Structures are given as structure tokens and as C-alpha cells.
Amino acid sequence: MQYVKGTPYFCKKFKKIKEYPYLNNDITTDVLIVGGGICGAILNYYLSQKFDIVLIDKGRIGQCCTSCATAILEYQLDDFYSKLKKEFSKEEIIDIYKMGINSVNKIEKFIKKYGNECDFYKRPSFLYTTKESEYKLLKNEYELRKNHGLKCEFFDKHNNPFNFHIAYGIYAQNGGAELNPYLFTKQLIENAKNQNKIFENTGYESMIQKEDYIEVRTNYNQIINCKRIIFATGFNLEEFDNQDIIERFTTYTIVTNKLKDFEWFNRATIHDTVDPYHYLRLLPNNQIIFGGEDVPFKKSNMTEKKAMSKYKKLYNYLLTMFPMLKGKIEIEYSFCGCFGATDNNLGLIGETDTDNVYYFLSCGANGIVNAMYGVELMENLLKNKTDKFEHLFTPLRVLNK
Ligand SMILES: Cc1cc2nc3c(=O)[nH]c(=O)nc-3n(C[C@H](O)[C@H](O)[C@H](O)COP(=O)(O)OP(=O)(O)OC[C@H]3O[C@@H](n4cnc5c(N)ncnc54)[C@H](O)[C@@H]3O)c2cc1C
């Protein structure tokens, strides 16, 4: 099954990630990470400072779903708190939002250390509706955030500073950030401590639990003996007979030409509340990247014909949003990819029902932000410490269903 189709903008135009060899001998390590997308790269960068880590990827690093993420980094989740009430207490949702803000700050710290080679910029975020009937939905969410110290403003059609129509919207000043996900992965991988323990074109095939270690076999029949194994394989779950643990969707994206004399309020990252929702941001060179029109992930939804009709729909929607761009925008890139969703909008991060086997699978619209926090969680678990958010991310919540 192919997880990405089309021409992903982020890895097409930019400096390529350095090539790593394939594994051609047997090795031993404390922790094996399977998967070198943005999540595996985040995990590998931080954990390799404290543990003996080997990372393998069955293909090239950063070339799967990572290459087509819009990379809007926000603290808000896919659903409003009112929809997630069953999943979280009020205190928990606020903690999760604050965790999101801290994750963005952590990326900023990394960028300060290594330089901004991945177009990282902090941005406000804007979540809006065009439906009058959704007043209460947005107002309640706004009140919740404001009452818990999250800086935000409520806009309606009378004080709307954006150059498109809204009924209501929540504008979060320190709502998030944006970056180039492929170049961020490049920086993470190339600055990791374990340079001679990263292997591309090396696929995980199978494992056998031994008394005090795990024996992993690769696609070229090499053996990796490890104490723990972490699957950061994104949504490629076929190998593990667990493809049903995450609900998967295909999401479609277009990137326009560079736009002259065009911007919106403070270059905020934007989401609407349509079902399925749309999301957009302005790239640093003033191209719009616009995504959405999600459908369940299956082969027939990734055919050229289906994808073309979705790109056209996105293009028309963009023009409805910004009628002043009529005759000025063209689609320069179009692509689609797979993303996962869970009931509580959070990824599956933590120990599975098999001893010493962990998942590090990000989900939802802010999977990258969650992965930044997930590193702390994973570090605690590897040190046999408890973590405040363990119960919210644990894979057991779906494996035990
Ligand atoms: C169009 C689109 C827009 C998105 N927008 C956003 C956004 O704005 N913000 C956000 O936070 N998230 C967004 N996402 C989600 C984001 O892309 C994912 O959360 C993130 O890329 C997942 O990264 P990953 O490393 O887990 O997966 P991937 O990038 O898919 O990497 C998984 C890696 O595992 C490797 N692998 C798989 N199986 C094996 C095996 N058996 N052995 C060895 N290696 C293996 C693969 O080769 C691959 O390199 C978006 C996703 C899509 C598709």
C-alpha cells in the first residue's frame, strides 16, 4: 500500500537528507527504533543523547508521510473540548494544550542551538467557522481557553481582521508555529549522536522474544539484538497485524504559485470547522499550502482520478475563501498522504501488550507537536518512571479494546 502520492512539496525543492548505509552485519543495542520519519527522527535525536540507540528505516529517511505534512504546529486538537469531554477532564485538556505550547518551545530551543535551516516560525493560530449556528461551540471553547490563561481573542464578523468571511473564530496569539517537516527531519537526523547507528533501506521483518532480549530480523536477514524496540513506523501498520488500531484517512493538499501583495492577518495558521475540515498556511515565499477533503484511507481514494477531483475541489474552495485571487492562483504542487486518528485525538505512545515493545505513533492534525512531548514520555518509560500523561497516550487503550 502506498502512503504518499503526487509530488510532495517539502522534499522536492530542498537540500536532501544525507544518505545512510543499509545494515550488513549483526548488531546489538539497548533500544531499536524502527522508522525514520519525523517521529523516529525526533525520538532518535533526543534518546541518543542518553541511551544506546539504533535506528532503521525500510526506505529513505523522511520520504514517507513526513514529506507531505503541512506542518502546522498547534496546541489545539482536531476536536473541540466539548466533543472530547468523555475522554478528558477540563484540567487534562488544558494540560494537553499547555503541553502543545511547551512542545513548540522545545522545537524553538533546538532551532536556536543548530540554526534555522527548516523555515521554523512561531505563528498565531486561527480556528474559525462560517456558520452562525456554531456560535456556542466556538464561544465555549474560547471561554475555556481564556479562563485557563491561554492568550486568545474571539472574532466575529464585526471585528474580523482576516481578509475572508467568518461567522466566528478563535485567534490564539501563541497558538503554534510552522516549519518544513522534511528539513526539520534532516536537522534532527544529521545532528543525532548515533551517526554510525542509523541505517536506511533496512526493514524490520520479525522478532523473537528471548529471555532477556529481543532478536529482530531485518529484510536482508541481519540480526539486531535489543533490549527494547520502538515502532515509529507511522501508519504503515500492516507488518504488525494491527492496522485497525488507528483509523486512517487520506488527506489532500495543493500548493499555489507565489502570490504578490497578498497576506492575511499575522500569517496565522488557519483551520475551519467544516467536516472534513480545511487547513492552510502561507509558506515563507508566499505560496499558500491548503489541505483537507479527507476520506477513509483505501486504494481507490488514492487513484490519480480521485486525487485530481479532490485537488480541484480544494482549488475552488480556496477561491471561494479568497475571491480576490481569481485569475491569480495556479496549483504548482499537489499530493496526498495518509494520517491516523484516535478517539481522544492523541497518538499511541507507550508500551504495548508485549513486554519491551513500544509504539511511537503520532496521530491527528498535530501529530508532530505530540511527538515532541512523546519523547519525554518515552524517556520516562525507558527509565521505568511514571509519566503524568501515560494513560492518555498508552497504546493499551486501543490494543485492549
Ligand atoms: C497531507 C498531510 C498533512 C499533514 N499535516 C500535518 C500538520 O499540519 N501538522 C502535523 O503535526 N501533522 C500533520 N500531518 C501528520 C504528519 O504527517 C504525521 O503525524 C507524521 O508525518 C508522522 O510521522 P511518522 O514519522 O510517524 O511517519 P512517516 O513519515 O510515515 O515515517 C514512518 C517511517 O517508517 C518506515 N517504516 C515503516 N515500516 C517499516 C519497517 N517495517 N521497517 C523499517 N522502517 C519502516 C517508513 O519507511 C517511514 O520512513 C499531516 C499528514 C498528511 C499526510
Side-chain angles (χ1 to χ4, degrees), residues 37-39 57-58 65-66 68-72 204 239 251 362 365 367-368:
I38 196 165
C39 291
D57 194 291
K58 71 176 176 186
C65 294
T66 294
C68 65
T70 317
I72 292 175
Y204 161 92
E239 282 98 331
T251 185
S362 73
I368 299 169

Side-chain angles (χ1 to χ4, degrees), residues 35 97 115 159 167 203 208 247 256 268 278 280 283 293-294 303-304 307 325 329 361 364 397:
Y97 289 167
N159 65 352
I208 302 172
E247 207 180 343
T256 69
H278 302 94
L280 60 155
L283 293 165
E293 296 296 333
D294 306 359
T303 60
E304 178 86 13
L325 291 179
I329 53 169
L361 306 174
R397 70 190 200 269

Side-chain angles (χ1 to χ4, degrees), residues 3-4 34-41 56-74 181 202-205 231-237 239-240 249-253 271 279 281 291 335-340 360-370:
Y3 292 86
V4 176
V34 183
I38 196 165
C39 291
I56 58 170
D57 194 291
K58 71 176 176 186
R60 294 290 324 275
I61 282 168
Q63 298 259 344
C64 202
C65 294
T66 294
S67 65
C68 65
T70 317
I72 292 175
L73 312 177
E74 294 179 340
T202 304
Y204 161 92
E205 282 286 319
F231 289 103
T233 46
F235 315 108
N236 304 223
L237 290 164
E239 282 98 331
F240 318 114
F249 297 92
T250 299
T251 185
Y252 302 84
T253 306
H271 272 254
Y279 46 92
R281 69 178 174 97
F335 45 92
C336 57
C338 172
F339 79 96
F360 194 76
L361 306 174
S362 73
C363 289
N366 50 2
I368 299 169
V369 162
N370 275 188

Side-chain angles (χ1 to χ4, degrees), residues 21-25 27 56 199-200 202 218 220 222-224:
Y22 67 92
L23 182 67
N24 61 3
N25 55 299
I27 48 170
I56 58 170
F199 302 97
E200 291 183 310
T202 304
T218 71
Y220 292 122
Q222 309 298 344
I223 299 291
I224 305 172

